Amino acid sequence: MRQGPDMPWDSIHKQEAHTGTAPNLRDYATVCAGFSWEAARRALDGLPDGGLNIAHEAIDRHVAHGRGAHPALRWLGKAGARHDFTYADLKRLTDRFANALRTLGVAKGDRVFGLMGRLPELYIAALGTLKNGSVFSPLFSAFGPEPIRSRMELGDAKALVTTEALYRKKVMAWRHELPKLTHVLLVECNEAALPEGTLSLAQAMAAASETFAIEPTRPDDMALLHFTSGTTGRPKGAVHVHEAVVGHAVTGRLALDIHPEDRVWCTADPGWVTGMSYGIIAPLTNGATLIVDEAEFDAERWYGTLQNELVTVWYTAPTAIRMMMKIGTEIIRKYDLSRLRFLASVGEPLNPEAVVWSQQAFGRPFHDNWWQTETGGIMIANFASMDIKPGSMGRPIPGIEAAIVERKPEGVAVVEKPMAMGELALKPGWPSMFRGYLHEDERYKKCFVGGWYLTGDLAMRDADGYFWFVGRADDVIKSSGHLIGPFEVESALMEHPAVAEAGVIGKPDPMAGEIVKAFVALKGGYAPSEDLRKELLGHARKRLGPAVAPKEIDFRANLPKTRSGKIMRRLLKARELGLPEGDLSTLESDER
Ligand code: AMP
């Protein structure tokens, strides 16, 4: 493999010198050596009887410690509205929400689903549900009726908080098919003419008391239910517990370098685990201010938000970064982004090109980090105090043991050799680890082999302990005896000035087993042509060598992606081969 240290990119050196803020993690080795999860847990309050509750640590703890007046959330509406909530405001509102649930008979362990855009009520509902000891499950508001119904059915929904418009359009028709669904609370509704069997959330909250004694949840009580299908397969409900907050607090502080005075903008929707863990819990637990934008991606709006909201920590995803790259750097010069201190990316491999681009465009690199719905929080990261090797996911969070392993009939063997490819594995036991797939014990058990949690991702580790992503195990290509990771090929194609996005698959071939086939979306100003195809094939061959370079390249206007921005290589492959397309509930943009 040509990936890793022999990539043609220089390391980007740590940036502490010009930001004026000392990183929370100053020296990786020292912090790792002194780290324990028990000490991290002791740094939080806990509940009086020894219990632990995410919402207490995220909100009430700060109020109790005298920071009630500090801004907790600034909300930016699509049409220009702006609302500020202090920690004291959030405490009152979430107490009211929890009381409203309790009055309705929604109890500890009951499932409360949230289905709405990024409205303030979503944040209040999520944290209020946790105070009540109930389980919150966020759904992405752009899901169609069927993915909503199937997730709520699988998750045993007892209550739903949604808007009237979404309820009428996506839920009303089948609502009575879910006998356990007893309460529907509506926001943005016409209180004079509510649909049958629904309540106004505003009215329910107005009638509720403003003080609430948090349900004495235990660290291993279920708190969040996140549905994931990743880029493959059918959705599964990953179960997370209140103890996860220890991981969110630590990873927010160390991997995203969140300080209490920070203004943190995580662009992910809380319908996905990133939007919940780092768009709500981690910044609040660290006492910072959340910036929430209701609107979808728009480059001008985003740069305006970074400037006007004085964002200091920005957590986004490669798809958005690639869209910004497509538009170019000229536009950035119009904005004063001098407050921006720490840029991070997750969700997909971050091409080295994008890291180098951000260094030029913003004067700061994007810090890639890696995790999954199942891990509940960041596991591998490029820390603020570390030199970045563009294309690497970084090093494990203190307290996390990560390894490259090989599956064997009798278990797994750890691969010690630097830059040898294998499956990325984690030693179980970190606080935000998922505790099950709901109603699917066998599927859960299969993730653990020989004392390791196997992630399903292929990766390599270099001699300095940096991890390099290769691909999902399902996406890796076997061509003439070579194992080829799609990310390596995609990154090489991305280096060409015409390429905005690339998705690479293995296409069955009688001679080679599989050949590498690439799908490419072009930047503005470039049009598909036979000459450009040849040029890209030549560029890739020069960069990767003939064994790894794609043999075929097709142009596409867009690549199919999940709503969380991951390129769906499985779908590219199914379409190429004329195979069934499978579960498309998470598909967002379509190439056709
Ligand atoms: P999900 O659980 O849907 O968030 O998907 C998790 C998967 O996204 C991981 O198993 C990886 O395949 C991919 N992923 C997330 N972050 C990264 C990253 N920084 N680099 C490469 N792949 C990533």
Side-chain angles (χ1 to χ4, degrees), residues 228-231 272-274 318 345-350 368-374 380 393 455-457 469 471-472 487 564 566:
T228 168
S229 45
T231 42
W272 306 108
V273 72
T274 306
S345 164
V346 73
E348 268 213 308
L350 184 65
D368 187 21
N369 57 54
W370 177 96
W371 58 291
Q372 307 175 303
T373 305
E374 286 82 350
I380 296 178
M393 314 190 284
T455 66
D457 281 356
F469 184 78
R472 290 290 303 165
F487 175 48
S564 54
K566 296 179 203 298

Side-chain angles (χ1 to χ4, degrees), residues 477-484 509 511-516 546-547 551:
I477 302 158
K478 296 182 192 77
S479 185
S480 303
H482 297 277
L483 277 185
I484 300 166
D509 178 83
M511 294 299 287
E514 282 182 309
I515 57 157
V516 178
K551 298 274 182 295

Side-chain angles (χ1 to χ4, degrees), residues 76 82 265 267 291 293 295-314 316-340 343 354 357-364 366:
L76 307 169
R82 201 185 227 212
W265 187 23
T267 62
I291 305 296
D293 186 6
E296 295 308 323
F297 176 83
D298 171 86
E300 292 266 2
R301 184 176 171 108
W302 274 36
Y303 292 132
T305 300
L306 291 169
Q307 169 186 273
N308 302 336
E309 303 310 330
L310 311 174
V311 172
T312 52
V313 174
W314 182 29
T316 189
T319 323
I321 299 169
R322 286 192 292 259
M323 286 198 269
M324 289 183 279
M325 290 170 73
K326 207 168 166 178
I327 294 160
T329 49
E330 200 51 30
I331 171 179
I332 302 173
R333 310 283 167 244
K334 294 201 288 186
Y335 298 89
D336 173 7
L337 304 183
S338 55
R339 295 293 287 272
L340 198 53
L343 289 67
W357 175 81
S358 73
Q359 178 71 31
Q360 285 156 4
F362 301 105
R364 313 246 182 285
F366 271 105

